[in-house]
Amino acid sequence: MNKIFSIIIISILLGVPSTIFAADSASDVRINKFELIWSADTYTPYNYQGRNLPTIGSKVIIDVVIDTSGGNPLNLKYSWFLEDIFQQSKSGYGKDSFYFYVQQRPGAYHTVRLQIFNDDRTVFEEKSIQIPIAEPEIIFYSSNGNSHFSNQASTIYTFLAGKTFSFVARPYFFSINKLTDLIFEWTFSGKESIISSDYDASIFNLTISDKNNGQTIKSDLWVNVKNILDETQNAFKSMKINIY
């Protein structure tokens, strides 16, 4: 009987240190450093080397890049705040990613704040970032696609009569899945508009016939681009053309 009793006591004692060790291990986790990295789901041309900027209605994702040591990082809680409003449904253990949809106007910011801590708050770190809001944009490129025309509205471009020229309107920062989600409306010199959402709708071919009177023709080229998926997203671009 004493032998059996001794075995039970030993078993219990052996179990206690392991339980205490697990609890201590969980609380010993340390945050060495962490960063907040954000991205937006907006469209940019294939050779664009900058950051995709968010616009009204677009989705922004923030990921946490964290370096920890010691205990189990899965025991850390993440509390997310958008404009200082606690996002309860997107916070909790292991919630190291957060997303929201832009509501601010161009030129404004969305502020995201994150708190990371353990249950007893012996570990607590906080960081916030401001995400700038842009607006959809159109840039005119030449037909070879390697150079773009000036964004200055006062710039006048000169073309010779009797030739065909191609203009490419490249869209930036629209929330689309593919280029055909955009409608391009081209207008030259006040004539009837060309409206299309085809794959090549971003290209406008202008054939300038020979003139008979030898005078300079002053014209304007406009393009208005709309997002089929989100009617709040649109962009307009124009350029002045002199034909000799």
Side-chain angles (χ1 to χ4, degrees), residues 52-97:
N52 290 32
L53 298 177
T55 54
I56 294 178
S58 63
K59 183 179 181 180
V60 176
I61 300 173
I62 299 102
D63 292 308
V64 181
V65 179
I66 187 169
D67 177 35
T68 63
S69 57
N72 189 349
L74 295 178
N75 289 295
L76 293 173
K77 286 184 177 179
Y78 294 75
S79 288
W80 293 95
F81 297 80
L82 179 61
E83 318 303 350
D84 284 328
I85 300 174
F86 178 50
Q87 307 295 303
Q88 183 174 0
S89 63
K90 298 176 182 177
S91 301
Y93 291 104
K95 298 286 188 176
D96 57 357
S97 184

Side-chain angles (χ1 to χ4, degrees), residues 91-239:
S91 301
Y93 291 104
K95 298 286 188 176
D96 57 357
S97 184
F98 173 75
Y99 72 89
F100 68 94
Y101 291 91
V102 173
Q103 297 180 357
Q104 297 282 20
R105 295 288 176 181
Y109 292 83
H110 270 300
T111 302
V112 175
R113 178 162 54 95
L114 173 63
Q115 295 176 347
I116 307 178
F117 52 90
N118 59 359
D119 283 330
D120 56 11
R121 299 286 181 123
T122 56
V123 174
F124 183 91
E125 297 290 342
E126 183 178 52
K127 186 166 292 189
S128 63
I129 56 172
Q130 285 190 322
I131 300 172
I133 310 305
E135 59 184 341
E137 185 177 351
I138 295 295
I139 296 180
F140 281 136
Y141 281 78
S142 61
S143 57
N144 60 22
N146 295 324
S147 59
H148 65 82
F149 296 99
S150 171
N151 285 329
Q152 299 295 325
S154 59
T155 303
I156 300 175
Y157 291 92
T158 302
F159 299 93
L160 298 177
K163 296 184 178 181
T164 299
F165 301 90
S166 294
F167 301 88
V168 181
R170 288 189 177 175
Y172 291 78
F173 314 135
F174 284 88
S175 295
I176 58 175
N177 299 318
K178 54 188 182 303
L179 198 58
T180 52
D181 289 331
L182 297 177
I183 295 177
F184 290 78
E185 180 180 358
W186 292 92
T187 306
F188 177 69
S189 193
K191 297 179 181 179
E192 184 177 354
S193 299
I194 299 175
I195 303 175
S196 176
S197 61
D198 292 337
Y199 183 76
D200 59 352
S202 62
I203 302 174
F204 182 77
N205 295 313
L206 176 63
T207 300
I208 305 172
S209 59
D210 290 323
K211 298 176 298 165
N212 297 323
N213 54 14
Q215 295 181 352
T216 300
I217 299 175
K218 297 181 180 181
S219 303
D220 292 285
L221 177 64
W222 297 274
V223 64
N224 189 32
V225 182
K226 299 178 181 180
N227 185 353
I228 298 175
L229 306 178
D230 187 344
E231 61 182 11
T232 65
Q233 293 187 352
N234 59 80
F236 173 81
K237 188 72 174 178
S238 66
M239 63 185 298

